[in-house]
Amino acid sequence: MKKLILLSLSFFFVFTSYSSAQIVGENYEIEQQLLASTKQLNQFFKRFNGEEDVKGRTFEPDDRQYRNERLRKKYLSILFDEEDTDISSQAKNDFIERVTQGDNPEFLNLHSTDWFAVVNTTFLYKGKEMPLLLYMKIQQEALGYEWVIADVAFDPYKTMFDKQRGETKVFLHPMSHELDFMNLRKALVKGGVPESYTLADYKPDFLTIFLYEVKMGILQFQTVNRMNYHFFGIDGWYFSLTNFNRANDNSGWLISDLLQVNTSQKEDLLKIIYEKK
Amino acid sequence: MNNQIFKRLSYVVALMAFFAVSTQAQSPVDPNREKAIDSLALEKVKDLGKYIAIIGNKDTPFSEANRVMDRAEELFAPGSEMGVSSLASEEIKYYKVREYFQRLMALNYDKVNIEWYDVQYISDLERQPDGRYVGVVTIYQKFEGTTADKMNYKDTTKKDITIYVEKKKTQIAGRTIEFWDVILGDIRVSETSV
């Protein structure tokens, strides 16, 4: 009987220590993944710049490791999405070499004007849920900094002010002044095309329309869906960041697009990102 | 209750010891101070973690859970919200802090276990236009719920917690002493894949 109890007890201890070791092991593995993940944009900046250790502790500027070139190369190599993007290893290496270039290294700064966020949101518009992009920038104000809305992209706005040109367009005839512009009455009507009566180079300001419609309750904010960050601060390069929620080390805020761009390509890219024609 | 008062007093006294020397209003946070503020912020986040575990625990009596909710709410700036999303839906749902705690308490599990992974990340402190400082503390929480019919539910959520750091003044023995205080703000809760 004693033997049986002893055997059961030793079984119990072996089993419990095995299962707790398994739990500790599981936790350890997860914690290593979480540690590796680029958890905040702040951490992306710090890793990019080589300003923190592997546990996320900030280096003081007088620390030997602070912005150390070798450390930066190591960190930069893990800041790329490895699964869903087709960034070539050549482009990646060229970029890393460029930003860590001994005599002219490049660093990122939260307060820089060379980057912005594109926030994909949902608004209620005339009783219907619709996607709307907010372009956000960081700016200095009073004693500190703030994020502000720099522009918007919203499908209903895109065609709302497309004006016809040429012989078939409606117009206010060139002698309207003699009639005290009495024909305005027929031009400016609900459901009409008032944009037809504007200057040839008229460009609508979508942000102002957006602000007006929010104020009037025509557009009602519902939620944020996702966001990306676009960086143009490294001369000759563009990259964007996306948040990857994955159960491995290659997760968090990572570079999802990387392109070498000249000035005109940069302009074209900005037009695409801002959804401008 | 006495423990709470004692804890708060020790926060204030500890911070005064660190910061009482400064006289400039909302002056920049130097690295040493920032470390002390980080520690205080982590303390508050840990307190929040303890409160969440008590509120979520099915063995906690209703009246006690309500008292703890009051304590937890005191950690937050007025109007703070929780923005919650899951792996199934990227849409963020917004709850007032109290409402979030109430939903946690009402979860339909027989047994609930809430733990925190030993991984946290504290951002730099950035100055806002009003002169106050703001930062974000990221922590990870493991939730396990078991229903009466022994069905298990597990998830791990990332919590990005806003912290506001503000210089305050208090009177002690007729002397005005300045200290830095930390208060929690909005929290973004997102389910992780781990």
Side-chain angles (χ1 to χ4, degrees):
Chain A
M1 187 62 191
K2 262 187 184 173
K3 255 186 181 174
L4 191 67
I5 292 170
L6 272 174
L7 196 66
S8 315
L9 274 176
S10 50
F11 243 146
F12 174 77
F13 281 123
V14 168
F15 179 74
T16 49
S17 57
Y18 169 73
S19 55
S20 65
Q22 203 176 24
I23 291 165
V24 169
E26 259 174 44
N27 276 358
Y28 177 78
E29 201 178 299
I30 290 173
E31 282 174 0
Q32 291 309 300
Q33 280 175 18
L34 298 176
L35 217 52
S37 171
T38 309
K39 295 167 276 299
Q40 296 183 6
L41 216 67
N42 189 98
Q43 187 163 38
F44 179 88
F45 278 57
K46 293 249 173 180
R47 284 179 169 175
F48 187 100
N49 293 347
E51 292 171 353
E52 66 174 38
D53 68 10
V54 286
K55 294 205 163 172
R57 288 178 295 233
T58 305
F59 294 128
E60 299 303 334
D62 58 359
D63 191 307
R64 211 163 41 89
Q65 293 282 79
Y66 181 81
R67 294 189 170 186
N68 175 282
E69 191 181 319
R70 269 179 60 191
L71 179 81
R72 287 192 71 203
K73 281 187 172 159
K74 193 180 101 187
Y75 274 148
L76 279 158
S77 66
I78 62 159
L79 291 179
F80 291 85
D81 168 36
E82 305 282 357
E83 294 181 25
D84 296 336
T85 53
D86 50 2
I87 302 170
S88 71
S89 48
Q90 182 64 51
K92 203 194 289 189
N93 291 338
D94 289 349
F95 179 74
I96 293 173
E97 282 305 316
R98 170 63 199 93
V99 298
T100 56
Q101 202 176 303
D103 54 344
N104 185 23
E106 297 267 12
F107 300 99
L108 297 180
N109 177 2
L110 177 83
H111 305 141
S112 152
T113 53
D114 300 320
W115 70 295
F116 58 91
V118 180
V119 186
N120 183 309
T121 65
T122 300
F123 275 77
L124 199 63
Y125 185 62
K126 297 177 180 171
K128 209 173 139 193
E129 285 199 337
M130 297 195 74
L132 186 148
L133 297 180
L134 292 174
Y135 298 87
M136 314 281 299
K137 284 188 167 182
I138 208 157
Q139 76 173 13
Q140 192 163 16
E141 175 68 27
L143 299 172
Y145 286 82
E146 60 175 348
W147 275 100
V148 292
I149 303 167
D151 206 349
V152 297
F154 186 43
D155 276 349
Y157 292 169
K158 284 180 190 163
T159 49
M160 193 183 277
F161 305 98
D162 277 356
K163 61 184 270 191
Q164 226 187 333
R165 300 294 306 274
E167 293 164 26
T168 54
K169 83 178 275 291
V170 291
F171 52 82
L172 297 169
H173 66 72
M175 295 307 282
S176 303
H177 55 286
E178 304 295 0
L179 305 164
D180 296 341
F181 294 100
M182 68 170 282
N183 46 359
L184 277 172
R185 190 178 125 83
K186 285 181 272 180
L188 302 178
V189 292
K190 189 180 176 187
V193 283
E195 64 278 2
S196 291
Y197 312 108
T198 57
L199 287 170
D201 61 354
Y202 160 74
K203 288 263 184 313
D205 174 5
F206 293 158
L207 179 57
T208 304
I209 300 159
F210 165 78
L211 297 176
Y212 172 80
E213 296 208 315
V214 169
K215 271 173 176 275
M216 300 307 285
I218 300 165
L219 268 171
Q220 291 170 341
F221 176 82
Q222 298 294 292
T223 191
V224 168
N225 301 308
R226 61 192 166 276
M227 69 218 70
N228 295 87
Y229 296 91
H230 301 269
F231 292 77
F232 287 90
I234 311 295
D235 196 27
W237 289 89
Y238 154 80
F239 66 93
S240 71
L241 298 188
T242 303
N243 192 20
F244 295 94
N245 190 349
R246 295 180 180 135
N248 61 33
D249 290 358
N250 190 232
S251 68
W253 288 105
L254 299 170
I255 297 176
S256 49
D257 282 301
L258 176 70
L259 288 172
Q260 226 166 340
V261 286
N262 59 32
T263 312
S264 85
Q265 287 168 326
K266 180 182 164 180
E267 291 310 312
D268 291 343
L269 199 51
L270 278 167
K271 274 185 194 160
I272 293 169
I273 296 168
Y274 276 89
E275 299 194 355
K276 303 284 183 204
K277 286 174 200 164
Chain B
M1 189 64 193
N2 279 342
N3 270 350
Q4 284 296 325
I5 294 168
F6 179 74
K7 212 168 187 183
R8 280 185 188 190
L9 271 175
S10 31
Y11 280 152
V12 171
V13 170
L15 272 181
M16 280 172 180
F18 274 115
F19 311 129
V21 284
S22 178
T23 50
Q24 213 185 337
Q26 301 295 324
S27 51
V29 182
D30 76 39
N32 288 332
R33 286 179 187 189
E34 194 158 337
K35 273 182 196 152
I37 291 169
D38 286 354
S39 306
L40 177 66
L42 271 183
E43 276 301 314
K44 294 221 170 180
V45 167
K46 276 181 191 159
D47 283 351
L48 174 67
K50 281 181 214 153
Y51 293 148
I52 285 178
I54 295 169
I55 295 164
N57 188 340
K58 291 290 147 190
D59 296 332
T60 308
F62 182 76
S63 57
E64 173 65 5
N66 268 299
R67 263 197 300 276
V68 173
M69 273 191 240
D70 292 341
R71 293 288 86 76
E73 238 185 327
E74 286 168 11
L75 294 170
F76 288 87
S80 296
E81 291 188 335
M82 315 285 267
V84 184
S85 66
S86 65
L87 289 175
S89 166
E90 63 181 6
E91 179 194 335
I92 303 170
K93 290 196 162 60
Y94 304 87
Y95 304 101
K96 293 283 175 215
V97 168
R98 185 79 182 198
E99 192 188 353
Y100 178 84
F101 292 146
Q102 283 163 342
R103 287 174 62 92
L104 175 67
M105 191 170 71
L107 284 178
N108 206 12
Y109 294 106
D110 206 37
K111 200 166 176 262
V112 163
N113 185 36
I114 297 169
E115 288 174 27
W116 305 70
Y117 283 104
D118 189 20
V119 174
Q120 62 266 327
Y121 187 80
I122 310 172
S123 76
D124 290 338
L125 290 175
E126 285 294 328
R127 207 171 189 196
Q128 309 183 144
D130 63 3
R132 285 195 301 165
Y133 288 86
V134 64
V136 173
V137 177
T138 297
I139 48 109
Y140 292 87
Q141 177 194 281
K142 181 162 66 173
F143 175 94
E144 282 182 82
T146 311
T147 58
D149 52 354
K150 304 293 171 210
M151 291 288 284
N152 272 319
Y153 171 81
K154 276 186 193 179
D155 73 22
T156 297
T157 49
K158 178 178 184 240
K159 289 191 162 64
D160 297 304
I161 304 167
T162 313
I163 54 161
Y164 294 106
V165 178
E166 193 174 0
K167 194 179 270 184
K168 289 186 173 170
K169 286 177 184 173
T170 190
Q171 290 271 347
I172 291 187
R175 282 181 60 206
T176 303
I177 296 185
E178 289 182 329
F179 64 98
W180 293 88
D181 193 21
V182 173
I183 193 156
L184 308 184
D186 291 341
I187 298 183
R188 174 79 173 94
V189 182
S190 48
E191 189 183 348
T192 68
S193 300
V194 295

